[in-house]
Amino acid sequence: MIKFFPFFLFYTNILFSQDTVNIVTYNLLRYNTSIERNLNFENIIEYLNPDVLITQEMVGQESVDNFLNNILKNIDDKYKAADFIDNEDTDIDQGLFYNSEKFDFVSTSYIQGYPRPIYIFILYHKETAEQFVIYNLHLKASKGGDNELIRSDQVKELKNYISESDSKFFIVAGDFNIYSTEESAYKDLFSITESGKGNLHDPINFFGVYNDSINSKIHTQSTRITQFGGGSHGGLDDRFDFILFSDSVMYGDRIFVIDSTYKSIGNDGLHYNSALNVSPNQSVPMNIANSLHDASDHLPVSVNIIFSKEKIFREVLNVESYSIIDKILIYPNPSNNKLFIKSKDEIMQSIEIFSLNGLKIIDEYVNSNYHILNISNLSHGNYIINLNFNNYSERVKIVKK
């Protein structure tokens, strides 16, 4: 009993010194002064209870006031709105709402771009006294080479900006309108910057075209198959809405994302090309599924981020920083030269590494539950590691520093 007491103190100290912050990004589908959809949004927000709500498609300051006063404050008076910039070159802009018990508002600014600016919201986390930066974007919609080029150009502007920023704790969130990891915009997002700052990470380990039934669990649009109230229809078949994380938030030991909490709210993986509220929905109660269907053509994406003054041993909190379902460990990630890979239960048959273009770069026979992989010859950047077991494979995104 006595020899376990110090660990108990350590464990309880961790639990009580941390603040778990829920982050949600949500395209509200041309939200304006109308109160027609307010009850649906109120049901959704009360269900989610976000601490930071990142929104797209807000029509003017009046829409911000409507959402704050007639939805959020009906739920809890703790909510406040960040300063909103109503850009004269577009009729829809991005906004941000936050839990004032956890955060103070610092500033709103923007990176000019087409078809609309990328907005920069800075919050101050009270408990840790750290600034938290949110880049809120809404890239050009639709397929086609010209639209892909516009998306890529705006992403490059973003990467240039954040590569010169000294902010460590930041996320990039919003409606990316990207159809495939083969798109230039997607590749640009995860390019390694010369300064070493401004690198981004996607917790969804996938490469290829999103519109495929095999990817049904990660889709965020469309919630409906019939046209009403504007927006898109055709059922859930695209992943447009992301939350991406800086190096420090992805791999830090004080402020960091809990990978396993990242999810598309209401998507149970069983509604590919279907309306979200076709019963049963195994992810949310049916009243929430109905509200998600009626409120917007997009689903909200949610994730939890830990904020702590002290360093945290992530494994104590069961955080999947370098693990898949607690059965596979890959560390360190990012890495300069070696990856240590351990399977707790099953034997790995082989290990492959692919570029984001799908080009196989490494293929090693393993036949073991532990392997050290030399990646020193890889160029700096993002890669996909494929772990092949007897009857299945697992994919993880890795970063070569």
Side-chain angles (χ1 to χ4, degrees), residues 339-352:
L339 283 176
F340 297 85
I341 305 166
K342 182 177 182 181
S343 170
K344 294 184 179 179
D345 298 324
E346 300 187 49
I347 298 296
M348 295 178 288
Q349 302 298 319
S350 64
I351 297 175
E352 303 163 307

PDB file of all heavy atoms in Angstrom, residues 339-352:
ATOM      1  N   LEU A 339      12.113   5.357 -35.908  1.00  0.00           N
ATOM      2  CA  LEU A 339      10.793   5.147 -35.335  1.00  0.00           C
ATOM      3  C   LEU A 339      10.801   3.820 -34.585  1.00  0.00           C
ATOM      4  O   LEU A 339      11.227   2.784 -35.126  1.00  0.00           O
ATOM      5  CB  LEU A 339       9.713   5.094 -36.422  1.00  0.00           C
ATOM      6  CG  LEU A 339       9.250   6.412 -37.036  1.00  0.00           C
ATOM      7  CD1 LEU A 339       8.262   6.119 -38.158  1.00  0.00           C
ATOM      8  CD2 LEU A 339       8.608   7.320 -35.994  1.00  0.00           C
ATOM      9  N   PHE A 340      10.323   3.853 -33.345  1.00  0.00           N
ATOM     10  CA  PHE A 340      10.195   2.632 -32.553  1.00  0.00           C
ATOM     11  C   PHE A 340       8.731   2.204 -32.608  1.00  0.00           C
ATOM     12  O   PHE A 340       7.834   2.957 -32.219  1.00  0.00           O
ATOM     13  CB  PHE A 340      10.638   2.885 -31.115  1.00  0.00           C
ATOM     14  CG  PHE A 340      12.087   3.269 -31.005  1.00  0.00           C
ATOM     15  CD1 PHE A 340      12.486   4.594 -31.171  1.00  0.00           C
ATOM     16  CD2 PHE A 340      13.054   2.311 -30.747  1.00  0.00           C
ATOM     17  CE1 PHE A 340      13.818   4.951 -31.076  1.00  0.00           C
ATOM     18  CE2 PHE A 340      14.386   2.661 -30.648  1.00  0.00           C
ATOM     19  CZ  PHE A 340      14.774   3.984 -30.822  1.00  0.00           C
ATOM     20  N   ILE A 341       8.491   1.004 -33.104  1.00  0.00           N
ATOM     21  CA  ILE A 341       7.130   0.542 -33.358  1.00  0.00           C
ATOM     22  C   ILE A 341       6.898  -0.735 -32.569  1.00  0.00           C
ATOM     23  O   ILE A 341       7.650  -1.703 -32.695  1.00  0.00           O
ATOM     24  CB  ILE A 341       6.903   0.291 -34.867  1.00  0.00           C
ATOM     25  CG1 ILE A 341       7.260   1.550 -35.661  1.00  0.00           C
ATOM     26  CG2 ILE A 341       5.466  -0.139 -35.135  1.00  0.00           C
ATOM     27  CD1 ILE A 341       7.385   1.312 -37.153  1.00  0.00           C
ATOM     28  N   LYS A 342       5.852  -0.728 -31.756  1.00  0.00           N
ATOM     29  CA  LYS A 342       5.562  -1.883 -30.918  1.00  0.00           C
ATOM     30  C   LYS A 342       4.094  -2.236 -30.999  1.00  0.00           C
ATOM     31  O   LYS A 342       3.226  -1.384 -30.828  1.00  0.00           O
ATOM     32  CB  LYS A 342       5.957  -1.593 -29.464  1.00  0.00           C
ATOM     33  CG  LYS A 342       5.736  -2.782 -28.528  1.00  0.00           C
ATOM     34  CD  LYS A 342       6.200  -2.484 -27.116  1.00  0.00           C
ATOM     35  CE  LYS A 342       6.011  -3.691 -26.207  1.00  0.00           C
ATOM     36  NZ  LYS A 342       6.436  -3.405 -24.808  1.00  0.00           N
ATOM     37  N   SER A 343       3.811  -3.496 -31.246  1.00  0.00           N
ATOM     38  CA  SER A 343       2.455  -4.024 -31.208  1.00  0.00           C
ATOM     39  C   SER A 343       2.292  -4.820 -29.920  1.00  0.00           C
ATOM     40  O   SER A 343       3.069  -5.741 -29.652  1.00  0.00           O
ATOM     41  CB  SER A 343       2.193  -4.919 -32.419  1.00  0.00           C
ATOM     42  OG  SER A 343       0.966  -5.610 -32.269  1.00  0.00           O
ATOM     43  N   LYS A 344       1.323  -4.453 -29.120  1.00  0.00           N
ATOM     44  CA  LYS A 344       1.182  -5.083 -27.802  1.00  0.00           C
ATOM     45  C   LYS A 344       0.670  -6.516 -27.881  1.00  0.00           C
ATOM     46  O   LYS A 344       0.956  -7.331 -27.002  1.00  0.00           O
ATOM     47  CB  LYS A 344       0.258  -4.242 -26.928  1.00  0.00           C
ATOM     48  CG  LYS A 344       0.812  -2.883 -26.565  1.00  0.00           C
ATOM     49  CD  LYS A 344      -0.116  -2.136 -25.624  1.00  0.00           C
ATOM     50  CE  LYS A 344       0.454  -0.782 -25.244  1.00  0.00           C
ATOM     51  NZ  LYS A 344      -0.434  -0.016 -24.353  1.00  0.00           N
ATOM     52  N   ASP A 345      -0.118  -6.823 -28.932  1.00  0.00           N
ATOM     53  CA  ASP A 345      -0.763  -8.133 -28.989  1.00  0.00           C
ATOM     54  C   ASP A 345      -0.309  -8.978 -30.177  1.00  0.00           C
ATOM     55  O   ASP A 345       0.213 -10.069 -30.020  1.00  0.00           O
ATOM     56  CB  ASP A 345      -2.292  -7.971 -29.038  1.00  0.00           C
ATOM     57  CG  ASP A 345      -2.836  -7.287 -27.803  1.00  0.00           C
ATOM     58  OD1 ASP A 345      -2.284  -7.530 -26.715  1.00  0.00           O
ATOM     59  OD2 ASP A 345      -3.805  -6.516 -27.924  1.00  0.00           O
ATOM     60  N   GLU A 346      -0.485  -8.448 -31.397  1.00  0.00           N
ATOM     61  CA  GLU A 346      -0.294  -9.264 -32.589  1.00  0.00           C
ATOM     62  C   GLU A 346       1.065  -9.020 -33.258  1.00  0.00           C
ATOM     63  O   GLU A 346       1.685  -7.971 -33.075  1.00  0.00           O
ATOM     64  CB  GLU A 346      -1.418  -8.989 -33.587  1.00  0.00           C
ATOM     65  CG  GLU A 346      -2.805  -9.316 -33.038  1.00  0.00           C
ATOM     66  CD  GLU A 346      -3.871  -9.187 -34.098  1.00  0.00           C
ATOM     67  OE1 GLU A 346      -3.680  -9.739 -35.194  1.00  0.00           O
ATOM     68  OE2 GLU A 346      -4.893  -8.540 -33.834  1.00  0.00           O
ATOM     69  N   ILE A 347       1.478  -9.972 -34.060  1.00  0.00           N
ATOM     70  CA  ILE A 347       2.732  -9.902 -34.791  1.00  0.00           C
ATOM     71  C   ILE A 347       2.538  -9.054 -36.047  1.00  0.00           C
ATOM     72  O   ILE A 347       1.601  -9.264 -36.817  1.00  0.00           O
ATOM     73  CB  ILE A 347       3.225 -11.310 -35.192  1.00  0.00           C
ATOM     74  CG1 ILE A 347       3.489 -12.142 -33.943  1.00  0.00           C
ATOM     75  CG2 ILE A 347       4.468 -11.221 -36.058  1.00  0.00           C
ATOM     76  CD1 ILE A 347       4.601 -11.625 -33.074  1.00  0.00           C
ATOM     77  N   MET A 348       3.427  -8.086 -36.252  1.00  0.00           N
ATOM     78  CA  MET A 348       3.429  -7.313 -37.491  1.00  0.00           C
ATOM     79  C   MET A 348       4.142  -8.116 -38.570  1.00  0.00           C
ATOM     80  O   MET A 348       5.274  -8.575 -38.362  1.00  0.00           O
ATOM     81  CB  MET A 348       4.139  -5.969 -37.286  1.00  0.00           C
ATOM     82  CG  MET A 348       3.439  -5.031 -36.325  1.00  0.00           C
ATOM     83  SD  MET A 348       4.365  -3.484 -36.070  1.00  0.00           S
ATOM     84  CE  MET A 348       5.763  -4.064 -35.073  1.00  0.00           C
ATOM     85  N   GLN A 349       3.508  -8.300 -39.723  1.00  0.00           N
ATOM     86  CA  GLN A 349       4.115  -9.051 -40.809  1.00  0.00           C
ATOM     87  C   GLN A 349       5.103  -8.191 -41.596  1.00  0.00           C
ATOM     88  O   GLN A 349       6.195  -8.639 -41.935  1.00  0.00           O
ATOM     89  CB  GLN A 349       3.027  -9.587 -41.748  1.00  0.00           C
ATOM     90  CG  GLN A 349       2.013 -10.483 -41.064  1.00  0.00           C
ATOM     91  CD  GLN A 349       2.644 -11.732 -40.477  1.00  0.00           C
ATOM     92  OE1 GLN A 349       3.515 -12.341 -41.089  1.00  0.00           O
ATOM     93  NE2 GLN A 349       2.213 -12.099 -39.275  1.00  0.00           N
ATOM     94  N   SER A 350       4.696  -6.955 -41.897  1.00  0.00           N
ATOM     95  CA  SER A 350       5.564  -6.047 -42.646  1.00  0.00           C
ATOM     96  C   SER A 350       5.175  -4.609 -42.358  1.00  0.00           C
ATOM     97  O   SER A 350       4.088  -4.331 -41.841  1.00  0.00           O
ATOM     98  CB  SER A 350       5.467  -6.316 -44.156  1.00  0.00           C
ATOM     99  OG  SER A 350       4.169  -6.036 -44.636  1.00  0.00           O
ATOM    100  N   ILE A 351       6.071  -3.694 -42.701  1.00  0.00           N
ATOM    101  CA  ILE A 351       5.845  -2.260 -42.506  1.00  0.00           C
ATOM    102  C   ILE A 351       6.173  -1.546 -43.809  1.00  0.00           C
ATOM    103  O   ILE A 351       7.238  -1.760 -44.400  1.00  0.00           O
ATOM    104  CB  ILE A 351       6.715  -1.701 -41.365  1.00  0.00           C
ATOM    105  CG1 ILE A 351       6.339  -2.367 -40.031  1.00  0.00           C
ATOM    106  CG2 ILE A 351       6.555  -0.189 -41.264  1.00  0.00           C
ATOM    107  CD1 ILE A 351       7.238  -1.954 -38.877  1.00  0.00           C
ATOM    108  N   GLU A 352       5.266  -0.689 -44.247  1.00  0.00           N
ATOM    109  CA  GLU A 352       5.461   0.102 -45.462  1.00  0.00           C
ATOM    110  C   GLU A 352       5.331   1.577 -45.132  1.00  0.00           C
ATOM    111  O   GLU A 352       4.563   1.952 -44.249  1.00  0.00           O
ATOM    112  CB  GLU A 352       4.415  -0.264 -46.525  1.00  0.00           C
ATOM    113  CG  GLU A 352       4.402  -1.740 -46.898  1.00  0.00           C
ATOM    114  CD  GLU A 352       3.124  -2.123 -47.611  1.00  0.00           C
ATOM    115  OE1 GLU A 352       2.032  -1.834 -47.067  1.00  0.00           O
ATOM    116  OE2 GLU A 352       3.198  -2.699 -48.698  1.00  0.00           O
TER     117      GLU A 352
END
